[in-house]
Amino acid sequence: YAINKKIASLKGNQLIPQKDRKYNGLGKGRNVIVIQGESFQNFLIGLKVNGKEVTPNLNKLVKHSFYFSNVFQQVGPGNTSDAELIMNTSLFPDSNTPTSLTVGNKDIPSLPKVLNQNGYRTMTFHTDKVNFWNRDQLYPDLGFDKYYDESYFGDEDQVGMASSDDVLYQKGADILKKSKEPFYSMFISLSSHHPFVIPDTKQTIDLPPEYDGTLIGDYLKAQSYTDASIGRFIDRLKQEGLWDNSVILFYGDHLGLQDKALGGQDQELLEKLLGHKYSLEDRYKIPFIMTIPGKTDQGKQITRVGGQLDFMPTLANVLGVNIDHKLVHFGQDMLQPFNTLTGIRYYLPTGGFVNNNIIYYPNEGFEDGDAFDLKSMERIKDFSSYKSDYEHVLELERMSDSYFSQLPESKKN
Ligand code: GP9
């Protein structure tokens, strides 16, 4: 509790007692279904090409959900696996090495472990081989009761690296419907992985000819398939009677469109789509959608700035699980008012962050860095008043690293 209090105070916040929190326990006792979208960036939500929505199913979902529209990625070089780790721990990933490669055989305090103590069964699904990103160690370290990988999904309906997202969701739903409730489940999608090539038979959107053979065109088609397969998953969850008694999360794991991968034509197409230059904000913003059927039906867009580390505390609050005494967490519940300080490692040089007002891009020292106004994305000349944020971000990241390094060996072996 003392560490959590210190973390909160470094960001200019206080820990709010559970009884005073908004939306506390709104989804208490429900199943949890987390969908982590591969390479899914926020600008896709609501995007239309030639009047057609790229992600109609997610756009519809947003209307009946809490939609956090100002959320930044915080993954390190472990990309997808870092996003999984962050969702389950609210700890910073390592800035130099994929964390899943360094934490093997540690006993990591995590949400699955706390939910387990609250009677939840916990499981995670991904169609690739489990040893990619060292997940065969990571999942038990995080305390999942069970994981399902290629050995369960087989090799049917291949897209890119493994079986399609439809196989993921449909064969995953077969397990959910038989599972003891309540359960906490994660679905890690994959079909929209770079280079975003989707078979013709799976294409759900007609793009104008100028998109043919471009990375942007392939990205839009792949994410449109992501959306369609999620639409089918939602229908299936409703059919199985699982939808109404669940809390459903969807978020993007990390960016898909790297600046350096965008050639001239792609750059032009993207700028035309966005209506402006591809900014740091466009690059690093991912959507976070929380649906609690029957409770969030009116929909609510939350524009407060946040990051991936905030997902776990936000979910814990709606489940009515108080983690302040149980888990050291570097994120905060985004349903409460707070002052944000979102450290971004690896994708920004060490000390990079987003706060309520700016994105700060460090250089050699604080003063040599660059800062951009979050609203206009214009460069700011005088950002000296944010120096303490820079120092606090470095301190928070150091605290997280040292916490990680002191974790005991796991007893699972
Ligand atoms: C592989 C997959 C890809 O199993 O999750 O991860 P990424 O390359 O996106 O980090």
Side-chain angles (χ1 to χ4, degrees):
Y1 187 82
I3 304 185
N4 286 327
K5 212 168 148 189
K6 181 167 181 204
I7 293 168
S9 83
L10 282 168
K11 300 191 209 174
N13 296 314
Q14 287 182 341
L15 293 178
I16 304 172
Q18 188 165 6
K19 64 175 180 24
D20 298 336
R21 291 197 186 169
K22 283 191 187 167
Y23 305 114
N24 185 255
L26 198 62
K28 198 174 174 64
R30 290 191 181 206
N31 300 317
V32 180
I33 301 168
V34 178
I35 305 172
Q36 181 174 299
E38 172 62 41
S39 304
F40 199 103
Q41 295 181 221
N42 188 57
F43 71 81
L44 293 161
I45 300 292
L47 183 72
K48 287 186 180 166
V49 182
N50 263 5
K52 284 220 181 88
E53 293 174 280
V54 178
T55 60
N57 293 290
L58 288 167
N59 296 347
K60 197 166 136 207
L61 189 66
V62 157
K63 295 200 184 102
H64 307 292
S65 306
F66 291 142
Y67 168 42
F68 301 88
S69 58
N70 252 320
V71 171
F72 288 78
Q73 69 170 57
Q74 292 180 285
V75 295
N79 281 323
T80 300
S81 58
D82 280 352
E84 294 174 72
L85 174 101
I86 296 171
M87 173 69 225
N88 289 299
T89 63
S90 188
L91 298 172
F92 281 99
D94 196 278
S95 50
N96 304 311
T97 320
T99 307
S100 63
L101 303 184
T102 59
V103 293
N105 290 326
K106 292 265 191 194
D107 187 356
I108 311 175
S110 70
L111 186 64
K113 288 179 187 170
V114 169
L115 290 180
N116 229 250
Q117 294 159 6
N118 283 262
Y120 276 75
R121 183 163 171 72
T122 61
M123 55 200 138
T124 186
F125 300 87
H126 188 48
T127 55
D128 198 10
K129 290 187 183 59
V130 73
N131 55 1
F132 198 107
W133 286 133
N134 216 23
R135 288 177 174 113
D136 48 337
Q137 294 200 347
L138 179 69
Y139 291 154
D141 285 352
L142 289 171
F144 280 105
D145 291 323
K146 186 104 179 94
Y147 62 72
Y148 296 86
D149 76 327
E150 192 200 61
S151 56
Y152 169 68
F153 291 104
D155 58 4
E156 64 178 290
D157 198 28
Q158 291 277 307
V159 177
M161 302 162 84
S163 289
S164 68
D165 287 357
D166 271 298
V167 172
L168 170 76
Y169 298 131
Q170 298 305 326
K171 287 186 93 167
D174 293 342
I175 302 287
L176 295 188
K177 77 173 192 195
K178 288 187 284 192
S179 173
K180 196 172 136 291
E181 297 184 52
F183 56 75
Y184 169 80
S185 61
M186 278 191 90
F187 289 79
I188 314 302
S189 84
L190 187 56
S191 298
S192 49
H193 195 277
H194 185 271
F196 318 122
V197 179
I198 290 290
D200 286 348
T201 50
K202 294 202 179 303
Q203 292 187 11
T204 44
I205 186 164
D206 283 330
L207 296 172
E210 71 219 65
Y211 287 89
D212 288 352
T214 64
L215 188 74
I216 298 297
D218 287 348
Y219 181 68
L220 296 178
K221 285 179 197 161
Q223 296 299 6
S224 197
Y225 168 67
T226 294
D227 176 81
S229 62
I230 290 175
R232 289 185 280 270
F233 188 32
I234 294 174
D235 290 344
R236 175 79 191 277
L237 292 170
K238 288 182 180 166
Q239 257 171 39
E240 303 293 355
L242 290 168
W243 181 256
D244 287 335
N245 193 30
S246 296
V247 174
I248 303 98
L249 305 189
F250 172 80
Y251 60 85
D253 59 358
H254 52 74
L255 55 75
L257 299 174
Q258 291 269 19
D259 241 7
K260 55 178 186 290
L262 294 176
Q265 194 192 354
D266 281 303
Q267 190 87 37
E268 265 173 45
L269 283 171
L270 186 57
E271 284 178 16
K272 207 169 108 189
L273 271 183
L274 297 170
H276 55 254
K277 276 207 172 346
Y278 189 43
S279 66
L280 286 178
E281 182 188 20
D282 299 319
R283 233 181 294 170
Y284 298 141
K285 252 164 73 169
I286 49 174
F288 179 45
I289 302 169
M290 175 184 278
T291 317
I292 313 176
K295 307 279 184 180
T296 58
D297 295 353
Q298 304 306 311
K300 186 176 169 68
Q301 184 172 352
I302 295 151
T303 55
R304 184 173 297 143
V305 177
Q308 275 168 312
L309 270 75
D310 301 323
F311 297 170
M312 192 263 264
T314 309
L315 173 61
N317 178 48
V318 302
L319 293 178
V321 173
N322 189 351
I323 53 169
D324 287 346
H325 291 273
K326 292 198 173 130
L327 293 173
V328 168
H329 57 91
F330 286 78
Q332 56 218 343
D333 171 6
M334 283 194 282
L335 288 165
Q336 318 309 317
F338 64 80
N339 188 37
T340 194
L341 189 51
T342 300
I344 301 182
R345 305 178 113 171
Y346 180 72
Y347 281 89
L348 290 181
T350 304
F353 65 83
V354 183
N355 65 17
N356 295 321
N357 306 313
I358 63 162
I359 296 191
Y360 172 69
Y361 194 106
N363 201 339
E364 300 291 304
F366 174 75
E367 287 74 15
D368 302 337
D370 284 310
F372 302 88
D373 180 271
L374 261 195
K375 290 216 172 63
S376 63
M377 284 315 288
E378 308 247 322
R379 192 175 253 111
I380 299 171
K381 283 205 192 81
D382 181 12
F383 49 85
S384 51
S385 59
Y386 298 111
K387 182 151 189 190
S388 60
D389 277 355
Y390 170 71
E391 284 160 355
H392 289 165
V393 158
L394 289 175
E395 187 171 350
L396 289 164
E397 291 174 352
R398 269 197 302 270
M399 279 170 70
S400 180
D401 290 349
S402 104
Y403 179 71
F404 244 128
S405 66
Q406 288 163 26
L407 291 176
E409 289 291 303
S410 142
K411 290 191 207 72
K412 66 180 187 284
N413 295 325

